[in-house]
Amino acid sequence: FLDLQSEDEEELIIQMAAHLGLELEEWPHLRWIAEESLDLETPPNWAEYQHQQSGNWYYYNAHTGETTWNHPLDDHYRYLVTRLTQTESQPTPQEETQTYG
């Protein structure tokens, strides 16, 4: 698990949140999504490798032959961010009545 006292780890969380489309200033209670996504294992059939020339990490799926620079679960976490922020930003029926009633 992450030691949140470290400034470097805090910066990683901020960067991952931005990578996932999560604005931490607006949605601080969803910070757990960025934290969790930094601590993921690779899914079955995926392996993580370091590119020899750039030093960047990439992922390879031995079953499909697919390669990607992004963690295979990044899209899942982006969807989660979108779903939760859209759900929370929609007015409740009571708020709609107060606004339009």
Side-chain angles (χ1 to χ4, degrees):
F1 223 82
L2 296 173
D3 174 13
L4 300 180
Q5 302 302 316
S6 168
E7 288 182 24
D8 290 340
E9 289 171 351
E10 180 66 20
E11 183 60 28
L12 284 175
I13 292 167
I14 292 168
Q15 289 175 2
M16 179 54 77
H19 176 72
L20 298 173
L22 174 58
E23 297 179 33
L24 287 176
E25 289 184 13
E26 186 174 352
W27 308 100
H29 62 287
L30 298 179
R31 173 191 179 91
W32 65 268
I33 297 172
E35 291 174 356
E36 185 176 300
S37 68
L38 283 169
D39 199 28
L40 294 175
E41 304 257 338
T42 53
N45 299 318
W46 286 92
E48 185 177 32
Y49 298 96
Q50 191 168 20
H51 189 265
Q52 289 180 348
Q53 293 175 336
S54 70
N56 293 327
W57 293 93
Y58 69 95
Y59 300 87
Y60 172 72
N61 185 317
H63 183 71
T64 65
E66 179 183 0
T67 60
T68 179
W69 292 107
N70 294 315
H71 192 283
L73 294 176
D74 280 359
D75 286 342
H76 165 75
Y77 283 92
R78 281 189 189 102
Y79 173 78
L80 190 58
V81 166
T82 300
R83 179 91 190 251
L84 291 174
T85 56
Q86 285 179 350
T87 300
E88 291 182 21
S89 64
Q90 293 181 4
T92 64
Q94 183 180 7
E95 291 171 333
E96 284 182 353
T97 304
Q98 291 173 352
T99 304
Y100 303 110

